[in-house]
Structures are given as structure tokens and as C-alpha cells.
Amino acid sequence: METAAQRAVAELLREVTGEDAEWLAGLGPATRLDGDLFLDSVELVALSEALAARFGPAVDLAGHVAGLDFDALLTLTLADVADYVTARA
């Protein structure tokens, strides 16, 4: 991971998906939440809650994602989420 925010998002992703450290090592800034990780809506809400708990209530990933069009949702990356968190934390 390139930034502290990307590392934090990746670790929270690992926690909400229940994956191991080997899985975490395979993540990068360009990893897509939908296209690569196949994150489902329950996991997305869990990630949103974990981000809000860690970075504050201004970080509402679920609300942000709800406003995205279909193509943006499909291409949402770990780096995009980290940028969103950084802008609001």
C-alpha cells in the first residue's frame, strides 16, 4: 500500500471480510471493491460502519456509494475509498 489511508482501508476490508494476512498482501490501490473483491452489500455496509467508527461520522461510505452511477460503482478502488476517507476525516 502506498499511503496510510490505503493501508487503513485495506486492513478494515480484511476485518469485515474475515480474510487472512495473505489475502491482505494481495490488495493494492487499484483493487476494485466490486470487480476484484466482489464485495457484497452487507460487507460494504460493514466497511462503511468500520470507517465511520475509526475516522468519524463524516465518513459515510454507504451514502457516498449510493450516489455513484453504475460504472463508478463497478470501478471503485481501494485508493478511491482511501481518498474519500482522507477528504472527510
Side-chain angles (χ1 to χ4, degrees):
M1 288 300 127
E2 294 181 11
T3 69
Q6 290 172 2
R7 285 188 295 278
V9 169
E11 180 57 37
L12 290 174
L13 270 167
R14 188 199 60 77
E15 289 176 18
V16 302
T17 59
E19 298 290 346
D20 59 19
E22 184 176 318
W23 179 86
L24 181 63
L27 300 182
T31 301
R32 295 170 298 160
L33 300 187
D34 184 68
D36 296 319
L37 302 179
F38 306 106
L39 211 63
D40 65 29
S41 59
V42 172
E43 292 167 326
L44 183 65
V45 169
L47 176 60
S48 183
E49 291 172 353
L51 289 168
R54 179 156 181 187
F55 296 104
V59 177
D60 177 16
L61 182 63
H64 174 66
V65 167
L68 297 177
D69 66 28
F70 186 70
D71 290 333
L73 182 59
L74 289 178
T75 60
L76 186 69
T77 65
L78 192 148
D80 294 333
V81 174
D83 291 345
Y84 171 80
V85 168
T86 301
R88 283 153 185 80

